[in-house]
């Protein structure tokens, strides 16, 4: 498994932007599929975006497509989530996730998780 630490959360007004970062430990980061999920209190964790190991394939939830961009820098062992045109409904705890063998985009498909970072978007 890989150890993940998110950063970059905070509070922003609607229409604003934030960039989340997720730093990973270990020398095999480039072999992992990386994902971002989010969760509201009392709600299930939901898929936001994912990127394959070499960054050539990107996947997004419909709710964030064309507003959020996932990217990775394998030399820095870091994955990013650039969030633009933020809406109040984007408010959640955002989690970084990793897996070497994932075949889907549900929470159960990822074996390693960060501690989460809070994003709050005010109207």
């Amino acid at each position: 498994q890989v150890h993940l630490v998110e950063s970059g959360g905070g509070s922003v007004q609607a229409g604003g932007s934030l960039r989340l970062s997720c730093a990973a430990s270990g020398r095999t980061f480039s072999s992992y599929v990386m994902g971002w999920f989010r969760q509201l209190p009392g709600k299930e964790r939901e898929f936001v975006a994912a990127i394959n190991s070499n960054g050539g394939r990107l996947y997004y939830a419909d709710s964030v497509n064309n507003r959020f961009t996932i990217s990775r820098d394998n030399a820095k062992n870091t994955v990013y989530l650039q969030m633009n045109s933020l809406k109040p409904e984007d408010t959640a705890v955002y989690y970084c996730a990793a897996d070497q063998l994932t075949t889907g985009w549900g929470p159960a498909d990822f074996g390693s998780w960060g501690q989460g970072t809070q994003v709050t978007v005010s109207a």
Side-chain angles (χ1 to χ4, degrees), residues 6 17 30 38 61 73 81 104 110 122:
E6 301 98 334
S17 298
S30 61
R38 64 188 182 186
D73 185 336
L81 185 68
F110 287 80
S122 58

Side-chain angles (χ1 to χ4, degrees), residues 31-35 50-53 72 97-100 102 105 110:
S31 69
Y32 282 81
V33 174
M34 300 299 297
I51 186 168
N52 74 334
S53 58
R72 67 190 296 161
D99 202 278
Q100 289 180 304
T102 185
W105 307 131
F110 287 80

Side-chain angles (χ1 to χ4, degrees), residues 43-57:
K43 300 286 188 178
E44 292 187 356
R45 196 166 294 188
E46 66 174 15
F47 170 76
V48 174
I51 186 168
N52 74 334
S53 58
N54 66 11
R57 293 188 177 183

Side-chain angles (χ1 to χ4, degrees), residues 87-109:
K87 304 175 182 179
E89 51 263 44
D90 294 318
T91 295
V93 177
Y94 283 72
Y95 295 89
C96 176
D99 202 278
Q100 289 180 304
L101 299 174
T102 185
T103 57
W105 307 131
D109 296 305

Side-chain angles (χ1 to χ4, degrees), residues 6 16 23 27-28 31 43-44 55 79 98 113 117:
E6 301 98 334
R27 295 175 290 178
T28 59
S31 69
K43 300 286 188 178
E44 292 187 356
V79 63
W113 293 86
T117 186

